[in-house]
Amino acid sequence: MEIHVGDAQAEAVRCAVENVERCIQSGDSAHAGESTQAGGSEQANESGTAVSGHVLDCLHGLPDTLRRSISVIAAVPPYVPETAADFLPHEALDFEPSSALFGGSDGLDLVRRLITESLDWLAPDGLLLIELGLGQVAGATGFAAEQGLEAQSHLGEDDQTVVLELRRGN
């Protein structure tokens, strides 16, 4: 199995690769995908799982060999609308770069880009999972449908976040 992780920040990629490797080595598969090495490095472990990290601009930066072959893309893009800055905890605004929080006027700029770019990367039966806000589901689902994707949504325990599950229509 191959696990590829990515982020716009090299340090975040390095940490994510380390975390995935640690989970795999400890046998904690329930947390193996939560976080991961920068610059496209790859590490194989005893389980035969290779973990690679990539500094990405959305999905740009993935190796071309992965085109049309990825089974699952899971993403938590910045999805806070710029107009909602006043509602965020001060800790988020003080410690997170705005590019990690805000997704444009409706919060869906990177979500739309991710949906569009995923079409070049997903295997024919591949799955795109995106976290977003409950009020953004209709807009994201409509955009995904325009791209030929079918959607299911899964409401989070907080009744505010949703995981949007997208796959190619039949």
Side-chain angles (χ1 to χ4, degrees):
M1 174 176 24
E2 294 180 33
I3 298 175
H4 293 265
V5 296
D7 194 276
Q9 304 283 327
E11 180 63 15
V13 174
R14 186 192 63 73
C15 288
V17 168
E18 289 175 2
N19 287 338
V20 170
E21 282 293 319
R22 190 172 22 256
C23 288
I24 292 170
Q25 290 169 0
S26 72
D28 189 2
S29 61
H31 295 99
E34 287 185 355
S35 45
T36 68
Q37 185 154 23
S41 67
E42 183 175 302
Q43 300 176 5
N45 56 48
E46 304 82 39
S47 71
T49 301
V51 180
S52 301
H54 311 280
V55 175
L56 301 176
D57 176 9
C58 198
L59 297 177
H60 293 282
L62 288 171
D64 281 338
T65 56
L66 295 177
R67 285 191 187 274
R68 303 207 187 296
S69 69
I70 298 176
S71 300
V72 178
I73 297 173
V76 183
Y79 61 86
V80 176
E82 292 167 348
T83 57
D86 292 340
F87 300 105
L88 288 176
H90 290 290
E91 300 81 32
L93 294 170
D94 292 344
F95 296 104
E96 294 288 340
S98 62
S99 62
L101 299 171
F102 300 107
S105 61
D106 64 355
L108 294 176
D109 287 358
L110 196 58
V111 170
R112 284 187 287 269
R113 189 171 163 207
L114 182 61
I115 290 169
T116 301
E117 290 183 17
S118 73
L119 297 173
D120 288 334
W121 297 98
L122 286 172
D125 59 346
L127 183 65
L128 174 61
L129 304 170
I130 305 174
E131 179 183 300
L132 40 71
L134 179 61
Q136 297 167 313
V137 171
T141 299
F143 183 79
E146 292 171 7
Q147 308 305 310
L149 298 173
E150 295 177 349
Q152 288 186 322
S153 61
H154 307 277
L155 185 61
E157 292 178 5
D158 64 359
D159 292 328
Q160 296 177 29
T161 56
V162 171
V163 172
L164 193 60
E165 178 181 325
L166 301 170
R167 61 182 78 234
R168 286 185 170 86
N170 293 325

